[in-house]
Amino acid sequence: MSGKLMRAVQYDSYGGGADGLKHVEVLVPTPNKDEVLIKLEATSLNPLDLKFQKGVARPFVPRKFPVIPCTDVAGEVVEVGSSVVKFKAGDKVVALLNPFIGGGLAEYAVAKESLTVQRPEEVSAAEGAGLPVAAISAHKALVAISGIKLDGSGTRMNILITAASGGVGHYAVQLAKLGNTHVTGTCGARNIEFVKSLGADEVLDYKTPQGATLKSPSGKKYDVVVHCARGIPWSTFQPNLNDTGKVIDLTPGPTSMYTYVWKKLTFSKKQLLPLIFIPKEDKELKLLVNLVKEGKLKTIFDSKYPLSKAQDAWAKSLDGHATGKIIVEMI
């Protein structure tokens, strides 16, 4: 593929929103020895992609401009590095690209072998592309931190999931219900039936007075809150937690970090735990792809766009009210 050009979408400075994205032709990347080159079929957008454009991680992400954004991809391997052993040309895969570099809004991208998994024929490219950041975040919060067992064998827990109709939230509801849990979800009125269809036992409209308090309709105290929304203070969560309840914040800001430190210093039994996403291996992604294959987990699509309409997909994501995942397809 050396010397071949590909279509891509990039931005060359912080800010700019959808208008900051530009369609370009650039060289197809060359895989390093531990990487695979993937002909992309689908890419999903995450709020983190938008935050990086806004400069929340400057000067670390992106490492340099111009940058091709997005990290969650699916496609077909066309070339492998010299030390790659798990993949060959023609393999269908799902991958998580290097978040410092991106590369997902393009016809081709390189991914580390260690963050790439086989995609069975039962899992479409769009379904697979929705998984990496969103579903792994939900899985980490529920399984690694909260101790939920997806075979249902664990202790019964009461779980609250905020923004339950969103990209992370809709996976979190489904994964939580695979465990032995009672799930309360929050969302807007238009998505109440959707969140119920995912398996939630109770659903709160966050715009109503009761919904704003986060109080369970059945009066249950929460063991765990998977917090996928923004703008909810600790004082709202605290009275709804049991004595050792914890809030796992998937969108932590300065206030969350302060609360986390304060709770640790004061030995509080109720905790706020910021989730910092640093993927290192393919174990969780492989498990999640297999759950989709088995029909136990579904990627729900808010909308799909061709690469030529990537700005529209970006604008839709910026709107902040997506139901499920926003997908860009390389057509």
Side-chain angles (χ1 to χ4, degrees):
M1 302 296 291
S2 178
K4 183 177 178 180
L5 293 176
M6 67 175 183
R7 293 183 299 141
V9 175
Q10 66 183 31
Y11 57 87
D12 54 17
S13 63
Y14 292 119
D19 292 337
L21 301 181
K22 307 298 180 186
H23 290 269
V24 295
E25 283 197 341
V26 297
L27 289 172
V28 173
T30 300
N32 293 322
K33 65 179 183 179
D34 61 344
E35 294 177 331
V36 296
L37 176 65
I38 305 169
K39 187 179 191 301
L40 300 185
E41 298 172 43
T43 296
S44 74
L45 273 59
N46 292 297
L48 201 56
D49 302 319
L50 312 180
K51 292 177 184 177
F52 287 159
Q53 186 199 33
K54 291 177 180 177
V56 298
R58 71 172 75 186
F60 306 106
V61 184
R63 282 182 175 168
K64 61 180 181 178
F65 292 112
V67 61
I68 299 171
C70 300
T71 59
D72 295 13
V73 303
E76 181 177 320
V77 175
V78 294
E79 189 178 330
V80 300
S82 59
S83 67
V84 171
V85 297
K86 292 190 292 185
F87 302 99
K88 64 183 184 304
D91 285 347
K92 297 287 189 177
V93 295
V94 178
L96 176 59
L97 307 183
N98 186 329
F100 294 99
I101 299 172
L105 286 184
E107 292 181 295
Y108 294 86
V110 291
K112 293 287 187 183
E113 179 184 27
S114 60
L115 290 173
T116 303
V117 303
Q118 297 280 358
R119 175 168 58 87
E121 61 183 13
E122 295 90 344
V123 181
S124 72
E127 289 172 324
L131 294 171
V133 166
I136 291 175
S137 295
H139 185 269
K140 283 187 179 297
L142 292 164
V143 177
I145 299 177
S146 304
I148 290 172
K149 298 185 183 301
L150 298 185
D151 62 2
S153 64
T155 304
R156 178 82 168 167
M157 290 189 188
N158 294 318
I159 309 290
L160 171 66
I161 299 168
T162 63
S165 60
V168 178
H170 91 286
Y171 287 129
V173 172
Q174 296 175 75
L175 291 171
K177 289 307 297 179
L178 290 176
N180 184 20
T181 67
H182 179 280
V183 174
T184 303
T186 73
C187 62
R190 68 184 178 91
N191 284 321
I192 288 176
E193 292 306 315
F194 167 66
V195 174
K196 286 181 179 178
S197 76
L198 297 174
D201 300 284
E202 301 174 322
V203 185
L204 295 169
D205 177 355
Y206 72 93
K207 292 185 178 179
T208 65
Q210 181 182 3
T213 68
L214 302 181
K215 184 177 180 180
S216 167
S218 57
K220 299 179 186 296
K221 298 289 187 179
Y222 305 120
D223 299 294
V224 174
V225 177
V226 180
H227 183 31
C228 308
R230 295 187 66 85
I232 302 176
W234 172 257
S235 59
T236 301
F237 290 117
Q238 186 161 349
N240 294 298
L241 297 173
N242 70 20
D243 291 341
T244 57
K246 51 180 169 274
V247 177
I248 304 167
D249 192 347
L250 275 62
T251 60
T255 302
S256 293
M257 300 306 291
Y258 171 81
T259 303
Y260 163 69
V261 172
W262 178 249
K263 292 296 172 183
K264 287 292 185 183
L265 291 174
T266 57
F267 302 100
S268 171
K269 291 182 178 180
K270 297 182 180 182
Q271 296 285 324
L272 187 145
L273 305 173
L275 178 66
I276 307 300
F277 186 86
I278 305 176
K280 295 181 179 179
E281 59 181 3
D282 63 4
K283 181 180 178 181
E284 286 174 301
L285 185 55
K286 191 178 295 183
L287 180 150
L288 292 161
V289 169
N290 194 54
L291 288 176
V292 176
K293 175 188 175 182
E294 295 174 352
K296 296 178 180 178
L297 182 68
K298 296 179 180 179
T299 297
I300 306 299
F301 307 118
D302 176 275
S303 47
K304 296 179 180 179
Y305 299 84
L307 184 61
S308 61
K309 299 289 186 182
Q311 289 98 330
D312 293 342
W314 201 264
K316 173 67 175 177
S317 188
L318 281 168
D319 181 55
H321 296 287
T323 301
K325 294 295 295 182
I326 298 171
I327 303 292
V328 174
E329 297 179 308
M330 307 312 152
I331 54 176

